[in-house]
Amino acid sequence: MAEVTPSGRVTVVTGGNSGIGLETAVGIAARGDTVVIAARNTEKAEAAVAEVRARTGAADRVSTLPLDLTSFASVRAFADRFGATHDRCDVLVANAGLMTND
């Protein structure tokens, strides 16, 4: 795997624990960004972080924080935790979503 030069950008990918969100996180990490995967399911998010790290070699640039977009308390907690560990967010990939048959 070729060494990737860190870009200095910080990117948050909502719903980055599976599907298009996971592939987006892989692509963004591979280009050198620091990636924060924001997802409701902590177990799936941790597995996604491990996969992104393995596929990109970006071990120190990929992490996760819990985020449930249906809960304002969760959104506030995410913002507090994110702000405590990052000085900015350069890119937000708003991938989280839900499809129902209602």
Side-chain angles (χ1 to χ4, degrees):
M1 180 174 311
E3 183 71 24
V4 175
T5 303
S7 69
R9 286 182 300 264
V10 178
T11 298
V12 174
V13 180
T14 66
N17 59 318
S18 65
I20 293 170
L22 175 60
E23 293 306 315
T24 299
V26 168
I28 291 170
R31 75 175 193 190
D33 287 22
T34 294
V35 176
V36 177
I37 294 174
R40 285 182 300 181
N41 185 309
T42 304
E43 187 175 300
K44 288 181 180 180
E46 290 291 345
V49 167
E51 181 174 342
V52 173
R53 288 175 174 172
R55 290 174 59 186
T56 65
D60 60 337
R61 292 184 288 104
V62 182
S63 63
T64 184
L65 287 173
L67 174 62
D68 180 350
L69 292 170
T70 66
S71 163
F72 286 124
S74 177
V75 172
R76 285 188 291 276
F78 173 86
D80 289 343
R81 288 183 196 117
F82 183 86
T85 56
H86 298 85
D87 63 349
R88 70 189 187 288
C89 176
D90 297 300
V91 179
L92 171 62
V93 179
N95 173 72
L98 178 66
M99 185 173 137
T100 65
N101 292 325
D102 292 350

